Amino acid sequence: VPINHMRALELIKSLRRTSRLLNRVNRKQFDFDALAHAMTVLSLFADKNRDTIAELDLNPVILFEKGKGLMALDALIVTNIN
């Protein structure tokens, strides 16, 4: 952390079997650019706030078809502020 957009895409593409399966089931490409962007922004946020964030969790994240983005249905940030 932090990661850039290209590194985030590399991490996503390293899950080739999963992304191929998802794209085959949906018959449409998912918006992996939106996911990479979210990963990048969250990594920058986590890095900037590393002294106060103990955990950061988005789950589940719904990834829409290419060009339509994503939606996090739940988010949790646990701080280590006393």
Side-chain angles (χ1 to χ4, degrees):
V1 174
I3 61 172
N4 62 30
H5 189 82
M6 292 303 291
R7 179 64 181 139
L9 282 174
E10 288 172 4
L11 291 168
I12 294 165
K13 288 179 183 177
S14 73
L15 304 170
R16 282 189 193 140
R17 185 173 179 204
T18 302
S19 63
R20 271 192 246 137
L21 175 64
L22 289 171
N23 284 327
R24 203 175 321 135
V25 169
N26 194 7
R27 303 242 185 242
K28 297 177 183 175
Q29 294 246 332
F30 284 95
D31 199 342
F32 292 121
D33 276 326
L35 181 56
H37 177 73
M39 291 168 64
T40 302
V41 171
L42 284 171
S43 76
L44 291 169
F45 174 77
D47 184 50
K48 184 175 182 178
N49 296 284
R50 73 177 143 248
D51 295 332
T52 55
I53 294 177
E55 298 176 38
L56 191 149
D57 182 38
L58 300 178
N59 189 23
V61 174
I62 297 175
L63 196 56
F64 298 114
E65 66 185 78
K66 193 169 189 164
K68 303 234 175 161
L70 58 81
M71 180 187 312
L73 298 183
D74 188 33
L76 173 69
I77 298 175
V78 177
T79 64
N80 56 14
I81 300 172
N82 294 328

